[in-house]
């Protein structure tokens, strides 16, 4: 009898899994077990924790510059993924890192601004990070993890009041590994998807998509010490550049149209960076 019940439970669970499979913007099928409301709340928990732990950049010019680039990209997102508000924080940390979280939160580490040498290169990073969120990669990753003990613990902790350990795990699963010492990078296919979508996003805003290639070349040169989001043994900078080049004709068309419509972001990079 018990065995039979287990069988029924497994069958029902598999139905849930099938029902929860959604198609990503580029047509990949991915598991989405959580509501966007739940994801937004987890994003908010992680973001708050981040702001508590990492000092914020005080320089007004640096903040204005980053907000200008992020604002231009977010204002030009396609209607299906547009949201009214994105909160941007520049962290005063010499780390080549950036992230975007469900709920509309973006973090840029000051160290990234040394590798992303121009506003267009910074826009390439911003587009890529936002694309992870619009393509619901955090939900997919969390859903995959949910089937493991770690995922169950995380969700339990989240539902049970977001205790310290739980929110650390949530952060790790959302892609904020550097804060917790657990590396859970996005998968290769998620990275490729974020590269392609991100390229479109920056181009729509009037940033030159060709700068994304320069960005990854700089990233390759900057070598070691790369934190989770960019600690990409997969894909290598080389294969990223190939993916970007494959999408470049479409992106250049979006870029051309944006400029025709006078979308020409004027974000001046502070001299001291
Ligand atoms: Zn990524």
């Amino acid at each position: 009898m018990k065995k039979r019940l287990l069988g029924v439970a497994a069958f029902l669970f598999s139905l849930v899994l099938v029902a929860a499979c959604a198609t990503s913007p580029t047509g990949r099928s991915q598991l989405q077990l959580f509501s966007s409301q739940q994801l937004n709340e987890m994003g908010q928990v992680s973001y708050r924790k981040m702001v508590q732990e990492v000092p914020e950049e005080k320089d007004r010019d640096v903040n204005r510059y980053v907000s200008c680039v992020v604002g231009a990209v977010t204002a030009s997102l396609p209607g299906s993924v547009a949201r009214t508000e994105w909160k941007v924080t520049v962290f005063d940390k010499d780390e080549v890192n950036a992230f975007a979280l469900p709920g509309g939160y973006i973090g840029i580490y000051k160290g990234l601004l040394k590798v992303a040498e121009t506003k267009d290169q910074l826009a390439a990073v911003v587009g890529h990070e936002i694309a992870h969120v619009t393509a619901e990669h955090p939900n997919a990753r969390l859903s995959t993890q949910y089937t493991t003990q770690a995922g169950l613990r995380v969700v339990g902790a989240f539902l049970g009041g977001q205790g310290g350990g739980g929110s650390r795990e949530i952060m790790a699963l959302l892609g904020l590994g550097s804060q917790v010492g657990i590396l859970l990078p996005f998968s290769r296919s998620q990275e490729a998807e974020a590269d392609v979508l991100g390229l479109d996003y920056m181009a729509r805003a009037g940033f030159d998509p060709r700068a994304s290639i320069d960005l990854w070349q700089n990233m390759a040169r900057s070598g070691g010490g790369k934190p989770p989001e960019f600690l990409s043994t997969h894909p290598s900078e080389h294969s990223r550049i190939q993916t970007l080049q494959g999408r470049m004709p479409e992106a250049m068309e979006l870029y051309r149209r944006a400029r025709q419509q006078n979308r020409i972001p004027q974000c001046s990079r502070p001299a001291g960076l």
Side-chain angles (χ1 to χ4, degrees):
M1 185 61 188
K2 206 173 171 192
K3 206 170 173 187
R4 187 154 163 223
L5 271 178
L6 275 177
V8 170
F11 173 70
L12 287 176
F13 187 60
S14 70
L15 275 186
V16 170
L17 292 189
V18 170
C21 235
T23 308
S24 80
T26 64
R28 292 184 314 109
S29 139
Q30 57 184 6
L31 197 57
Q32 308 273 274
L33 289 179
F34 302 95
S35 68
S36 45
Q37 161 100 22
Q38 284 173 310
L39 259 291
N40 293 350
E41 281 170 22
M42 289 185 203
Q44 191 186 55
V45 169
S46 301
Y47 186 75
R48 284 194 183 144
K49 198 162 171 57
M50 204 78 169
V51 173
Q52 273 169 17
E53 287 180 3
V54 189
E56 285 180 47
E57 171 65 38
K58 296 281 186 288
D59 188 298
R60 278 176 59 192
D61 291 342
V62 172
N63 276 290
R64 200 175 299 147
Y65 167 60
V66 172
S67 295
C68 176
V69 171
V70 172
V73 175
T74 53
S76 312
L77 291 173
S80 56
V81 296
R83 55 174 300 129
T84 45
E85 219 190 312
W86 287 85
K87 185 162 172 37
V88 190
T89 304
V90 184
F91 292 106
D92 183 14
K93 203 169 183 192
D94 201 27
E95 203 173 84
V96 187
N97 207 358
F99 63 82
L101 290 169
Y105 304 97
I106 295 177
I108 303 285
Y109 283 61
K110 203 178 176 186
L112 174 77
L113 302 176
K114 290 198 184 105
V115 177
E117 292 170 339
T118 64
K119 64 176 171 19
D120 301 274
Q121 291 180 27
L122 178 58
V125 175
V126 171
H128 175 95
E129 295 307 324
I130 289 176
H132 276 307
V133 173
T134 61
E136 303 195 72
H137 294 164
N139 197 345
R141 175 157 59 183
L142 210 53
S143 301
T144 307
Q145 291 289 325
Y146 185 63
T147 56
T148 70
Q149 204 49 40
L152 288 171
R153 266 210 317 279
V154 168
V155 174
F158 178 71
L159 297 176
Q162 299 139 23
S167 67
R168 276 175 181 261
E169 287 186 330
I170 293 168
M171 287 173 77
L173 291 171
L174 290 174
L176 303 176
S178 70
Q179 292 306 301
V180 292
I182 304 165
L183 289 185
L184 281 171
F186 287 111
S187 74
R188 190 191 187 107
S189 55
Q190 286 169 337
E191 284 303 326
E193 186 166 58
D195 282 334
V196 165
L197 289 172
L199 196 65
D200 285 7
Y201 294 168
M202 72 178 289
R204 282 168 172 277
F207 292 103
D208 187 340
R210 290 166 293 191
S212 63
I213 310 269
D214 303 329
L215 170 78
W216 289 108
Q217 279 165 348
N218 294 350
M219 208 69 96
R221 260 199 304 276
S222 83
K226 277 177 283 174
E229 166 57 353
F230 297 130
L231 180 112
S232 37
T233 46
H234 67 278
S236 66
E237 281 86 0
H238 179 72
S239 73
R240 268 189 206 276
I241 288 170
Q242 277 186 330
T243 302
L244 291 166
Q245 270 162 347
R247 185 68 178 183
M248 203 54 76
E250 289 91 339
M252 285 304 287
E253 179 54 28
L254 290 170
Y255 175 54
R256 197 185 58 74
R257 252 186 276 158
R259 295 187 77 84
Q260 247 174 17
Q261 292 163 11
N262 238 345
R263 247 175 282 147
I264 304 169
Q266 308 289 335
C267 307
S268 58
R269 185 181 158 92
L273 277 175

